[in-house]
Amino acid sequence: MKRFRILFSLFAAIVFIGGSVYAGKADDQPLEKLMQGNARYVSGHISKKESGGAYRKELAKGQHPFAVVVACSDSRVSPSIIFDEGLGNIFVVRTAGNIVDPIAVGSIEYGVEHLHAPLVMVLGHESCGAVTAAVESKSIPEGNIGEIVKKIMPAVKKAKASLKKGDNLIYASTIENVKDVAGEIVKKSKIISEEMHEGKVKVVGAYYSISTGKVEAVALK
Ligand SMILES: [Zn+2]
């Protein structure tokens, strides 16, 4: 069983490395670490986390997260839980539909430039309410929620244009949205695009299945 888990983690890491398009020379180890954590979460063999007073005192001195995860606010998609990581290891930016605006991009930049996280993962997920709203909306709703729907609409349009028979439109739109958001982060952030080209950071896309617990790679191009 242990051997299987190791093999699974290795396979997942290879699939991911193959699927990451914005690959610089950045080390692949952070991604492997996330995927190994997800394999532990899926198998139910979660690790013991540091949480005592001594560890909290250490954390109060500073943080050194090894990854930035841009995830949906959905209560079923907590990155630290699904990647089986403790406090201080994942810098998380969450919005409905895992979309970004200048404040979210600034938060990602903080994680990359100031905290030196070498990996940015944009994580879409199964049964995303924000993506579903964008797929089902006949028109853009008014107010702040409308801003979320409006932002996801181009992904829905792309998904519809390339939809093949038997494809699921909500799934396809979620994948397109992950690609759009990853592209937007690189486009809107000089800091991230420069660090990416210097090989200091890698931007990857991923999809979380709520029902299986698995995180899979999303090829960004
Ligand atoms: Zn969602």
Side-chain angles (χ1 to χ4, degrees):
M1 191 61 197
K2 199 175 173 191
R3 201 168 168 196
F4 171 76
R5 286 208 307 275
I6 292 166
L7 278 173
F8 174 79
S9 305
L10 198 66
F11 173 72
I14 290 166
V15 167
F16 246 110
I17 292 158
S20 78
V21 170
Y22 295 110
K25 290 188 195 93
D27 194 350
D28 288 323
Q29 207 191 349
L31 187 54
E32 284 173 31
K33 201 162 146 60
L34 283 183
M35 294 315 295
Q36 283 165 5
N38 180 245
R40 287 195 301 276
Y41 167 71
V42 170
S43 70
H45 294 85
I46 56 169
S47 61
K48 195 174 178 307
K49 313 281 184 306
E50 296 229 49
S51 62
Y55 184 61
R56 283 198 297 270
K57 274 186 188 150
E58 204 49 46
L59 280 181
K61 292 179 196 161
Q63 55 171 327
H64 308 284
F66 69 87
V68 175
V69 176
V70 182
C72 182
S73 303
D74 193 301
S75 62
R76 301 163 293 179
V77 190
S78 293
S80 292
I81 294 176
I82 67 173
F83 290 115
D84 190 33
E85 281 296 342
L87 293 172
N89 293 342
I90 303 180
F91 190 85
V92 181
V93 177
R94 295 180 76 172
T95 57
N98 45 270
I99 52 178
V100 291
D101 62 3
I103 291 171
V105 173
S107 305
I108 300 163
E109 286 178 348
Y110 183 78
V112 170
E113 191 183 35
H114 292 269
L115 304 176
H116 310 293
L119 177 72
V120 176
M121 174 185 277
V122 179
L123 183 67
H125 72 98
E126 180 183 8
S127 305
C128 182
V131 174
T132 305
V135 168
E136 292 176 351
S137 289
K138 300 262 183 300
S139 60
I140 293 166
E142 281 184 19
N144 295 315
I145 287 181
E147 294 299 317
I148 299 169
V149 171
K150 203 190 322 181
K151 190 98 182 175
I152 301 173
M153 284 293 198
V156 176
K157 210 173 159 188
K158 277 185 220 164
K160 275 182 182 165
S162 58
L163 204 69
K164 294 182 193 80
K165 206 180 165 196
D167 284 355
N168 179 302
L169 181 59
I170 292 172
Y171 172 78
S173 302
T174 305
I175 299 299
E176 290 299 334
N177 186 47
V178 166
K179 293 185 203 172
D180 280 1
V181 174
E184 187 178 353
I185 293 167
V186 176
K187 197 175 158 198
K188 299 272 172 74
S189 171
K190 199 165 173 265
I191 290 169
I192 291 169
S193 62
E194 278 179 7
E195 291 220 5
M196 216 178 71
H197 289 114
E198 286 167 14
K200 290 181 185 164
V201 71
K202 190 178 250 189
V203 179
V204 299
Y207 177 86
Y208 173 62
S209 165
I210 292 175
S211 46
T212 66
K214 279 185 196 168
V215 172
E216 287 165 6
V218 169
L220 294 178
K221 278 180 188 165

